Amino acid sequence: MTSSVDLRRARQLADDPGVFFEGNYTKMQSIAWEDLSKLHLEALKIRFEEKRDAIPMLEKLSNQAKVDTLSTIDDVVPVLFDHTTYKSYPNALLDSGRFDQLTRWLDKLTTHDLSDVDASHCDNIDSWMDALDKQTDLKVGHSSGSTGTMSFLPRGAEELDKYIRNMKIELFQEFGSDEVVQDEPLNLHVIYPFFRHGASSHIRALEFWVKHFAGDEERLHVLYPRRMSSDVMYLSARIQAAAARGNLDSVKLSDEMRERMNEFHKLQKELPQLLEKYVENELKSFAGERVLATGPWTINWDMAKIGLERGMRNMYSPDSVVLTGGGTKGREVPEDWREPIREFIGSRRIQAMYGMTECMGSHLLCEHEKYHIAPWIIPYVLDPDTCTPLPRTGRVTGRAAFFDLTAEVLWGGFITGDEVTINWAANCPCGRTSPYFDYKIQRYKDIKGDDKITCAASAEAHEEALSFLNSFGTGR
């Protein structure tokens, strides 16, 4: 029987991990795994009870999979969404500008009632994102569309705020220290070599980077102070996918979009020169100060090479942090990729992480090259063919799945397209007590040639739920 104290602690862990761990990163990564697992189960029950009937897609899937209650940590697996759920709409809706139907599709994936949203005037993704911003409390973010279509994730402002507050604790404390990061902004310079505005999920979080890290818009340093068009991102990805298939003629562009695409391609061609000016002018202007530099390793590597070629070394305070990640972007990863970045920035800490837009948790890489799991994220490793949960003991390889306990306006459980190896023994020499993933993480589409998950829940239950999600009658 669960005590009221345990339920209260489980609720606090889910609602605000930063408060639960008293703002201390060492406490986040030192809680006994056995104790945390008990809290995970109770918090998972709370979230399922809250969301089951509040998110139409989850309600439908739960009914189809006959999941009414949770007794064990693995009971939730049949109702985890697969990673294609948030892009499961027919592409024709985007191509034909049916944003009224896309709104009804999105309505089934969130606790928010979107039935009163008027999208009749929307003629592109950018205008749809603007309409959702103006008419709802959501901050809908989308993926890059690199697979040829976009995922759209409904998020609440409080979720994003909480994510960045927790990241501040993770990034600006050393493991083993009793130091606590206070809630006020750190007032440091943030280097973000991308666009300032847009609806991409990582751009969405920028307002909270300003709030908690920079403290002021003047200390946010972007490469492009303009908006990144969602339509341009989508069409760029579609064109690339069509070219790979050899049917480029299948992508039709209006005159307006052709002009916008040409402008974007021009911007891409100018990137080397723009990046040089950014490094030489913008980044020099606050030399010696404390910074947080973020972005994929590729662009951090390129900036570092430009700076080092110009004699720019140890540019910032040693207590600065570089947060990086991302895939290879088609480039070969040099083994010493961190060293030029460290030499250029002058930071003692080059922090790599494993994460994804569906999950408000960053799994940080420790000094022994292990990704330690954030304590508010429940990890799963599934059989890649059957999606049966694999044992939560020893060292196990399979398909990664997660439950994000901090998710509030969408369902926190999803199955990824990633192959991971997890060590449940939590015996890393770094001293952290959390389970961890090995450094090598691969996508199943790279291993098998595709990333279609056919085993989520049961195939029949999941197909029925997706059919419901893509029915566009009125109401929820």
Side-chain angles (χ1 to χ4, degrees):
M1 183 175 179
T2 306
S3 70
S4 60
V5 173
D6 288 339
L7 285 175
R8 188 169 66 249
R9 293 181 70 227
R11 163 67 71 180
Q12 189 180 61
L13 173 64
D15 287 349
D16 201 326
V19 171
F20 181 89
F21 291 105
E22 300 176 335
N24 186 278
Y25 176 63
T26 302
K27 289 184 178 180
M28 282 184 176
Q29 289 291 337
S30 294
I31 184 171
W33 178 242
E34 182 179 353
D35 294 339
L36 185 59
S37 296
K38 293 176 182 177
L39 291 173
H40 277 171
L41 177 57
E42 297 309 318
L44 182 62
K45 291 178 182 178
I46 291 170
R47 286 300 191 224
F48 182 67
E49 184 176 345
E50 288 175 345
K51 310 303 180 199
R52 188 190 188 281
D53 299 328
I55 299 175
M57 174 64 176
L58 175 61
E59 182 182 21
K60 183 69 174 180
L61 181 56
S62 299
N63 289 337
Q64 292 294 326
K66 296 181 173 55
V67 177
D68 298 315
T69 59
L70 305 180
S71 299
T72 73
I73 206 80
D74 286 340
D75 288 347
V76 78
V77 171
V79 292
L80 298 179
F81 293 173
D82 76 50
H83 67 92
T84 64
T85 298
Y86 293 101
K87 57 182 176 184
S88 63
Y89 55 86
N91 265 355
L93 296 185
L94 278 182
D95 296 339
S96 61
R98 294 306 308 272
F99 294 101
D100 53 343
Q101 292 190 3
L102 277 165
T103 302
R104 289 200 286 274
W105 169 84
L106 187 67
D107 189 33
K108 297 175 184 178
L109 291 167
T110 176
T111 59
H112 284 238
D113 184 356
L114 306 182
S115 58
D116 290 333
V117 171
D118 179 10
S120 60
H121 64 287
C122 299
D123 57 3
N124 54 43
I125 304 172
D126 289 334
S127 60
W128 185 45
M129 294 291 100
D130 290 342
L132 291 169
D133 282 352
K134 291 174 182 175
Q135 298 179 50
T136 76
D137 294 328
L138 293 177
K139 291 184 177 294
V140 178
H142 60 69
S143 65
S144 65
S146 59
T147 59
T149 190
M150 278 180 164
S151 298
F152 292 100
L153 279 89
R155 287 286 182 196
E158 175 55 32
E159 286 176 278
L160 290 169
D161 186 82
K162 184 166 32 182
Y163 173 50
I164 301 304
R165 279 190 279 124
N166 289 329
M167 185 179 289
K168 182 168 67 172
I169 295 169
E170 294 176 298
L171 292 180
F172 288 93
Q173 292 181 29
E174 295 290 336
F175 178 73
S177 169
D178 292 329
E179 177 189 6
V180 173
V181 172
Q182 301 301 320
D183 198 34
E184 63 266 19
L186 297 177
N187 294 327
L188 46 74
H189 292 269
V190 175
I191 299 173
Y192 182 74
F194 200 57
F195 290 81
R196 173 60 184 93
H197 304 285
S200 177
S201 292
H202 54 89
I203 296 177
R204 281 289 194 194
L206 275 185
E207 94 178 66
F208 304 100
W209 286 73
V210 171
K211 177 181 176 181
H212 294 292
F213 292 118
D216 188 287
E217 187 74 25
E218 295 299 314
R219 283 188 287 271
L220 174 65
H221 306 274
V222 298
L223 181 60
Y224 310 111
R226 55 188 286 185
R227 176 174 180 161
M228 175 69 243
S229 168
S230 301
D231 294 280
V232 169
M233 289 184 73
Y234 169 64
L235 287 170
S236 294
R238 285 207 63 199
I239 289 170
Q240 186 174 3
R245 295 192 304 268
N247 61 342
L248 196 54
D249 292 341
S250 65
V251 182
K252 307 299 182 184
L253 298 179
S254 66
D255 290 341
E256 178 193 358
M257 284 310 304
R258 192 176 302 278
E259 183 178 343
R260 291 169 67 182
M261 289 295 295
N262 288 339
E263 182 183 353
F264 180 65
H265 290 150
K266 180 182 177 184
L267 198 63
Q268 285 183 307
K269 290 179 181 178
E270 294 173 349
L271 177 59
Q273 293 76 30
L274 290 171
L275 200 57
E276 286 182 11
K277 291 180 181 178
Y278 181 65
V279 171
E280 291 179 344
N281 299 329
E282 182 78 18
L283 300 193
K284 267 187 179 179
S285 66
F286 48 95
E289 307 255 5
R290 192 185 195 195
V291 307
L292 169 61
T294 187
W297 77 267
T298 49
I299 199 160
N300 275 283
W301 167 269
D302 289 337
M303 288 193 305
K305 286 196 298 182
I306 291 169
L308 293 175
E309 286 170 0
R310 287 153 180 76
M312 299 166 66
R313 286 174 169 76
N314 299 317
M315 287 293 292
Y316 306 107
S317 173
D319 58 354
S320 297
V321 173
V322 178
L323 175 65
T324 189
T328 63
K329 313 303 181 190
R331 296 170 61 177
E332 185 176 345
V333 183
E335 290 186 7
D336 66 341
W337 65 269
R338 294 180 184 86
E339 295 312 311
I341 299 172
R342 181 179 287 111
E343 186 178 358
F344 170 60
I345 298 290
S347 169
R348 293 189 297 264
R349 185 171 183 185
I350 310 296
Q351 181 63 65
M353 58 164 280
Y354 170 50
M356 59 285 297
T357 56
E358 297 89 347
C359 184
M360 295 282 97
S362 303
H363 312 305
L364 302 187
L365 192 72
C366 76
E367 57 270 30
H368 295 277
E369 302 283 278
K370 307 297 182 184
Y371 290 109
H372 286 269
I373 298 164
W376 55 93
I377 305 296
I378 305 174
Y380 296 85
V381 179
L382 311 178
D383 183 287
D385 297 318
T386 66
C387 281
T388 303
L390 296 176
R392 301 175 74 84
T393 59
R395 190 168 182 268
V396 179
T397 299
R399 186 184 294 275
F402 299 97
F403 194 93
D404 176 4
L405 292 171
T406 65
E408 294 180 358
V409 306
L410 80 170
W411 181 230
F414 68 101
I415 301 172
T416 77
D418 295 344
E419 182 188 68
V420 298
T421 296
I422 194 170
N423 192 314
W424 293 104
N427 56 1
C428 185
C430 74
R432 293 166 177 82
T433 59
S434 56
Y436 53 83
F437 296 120
D438 284 357
Y439 184 71
K440 184 179 181 181
I441 295 173
Q442 301 181 90
R443 292 187 180 275
Y444 276 104
K445 71 175 182 179
D446 296 329
I447 300 172
K448 296 183 174 182
D450 67 71
D451 62 350
K452 182 175 174 58
I453 300 175
T454 58
C455 55
S458 68
E460 183 179 356
H462 206 260
E463 286 301 320
E464 285 288 333
L466 285 176
S467 177
F468 162 76
L469 180 59
N470 286 291
S471 61
F472 298 104
T474 58
R476 294 188 128 208

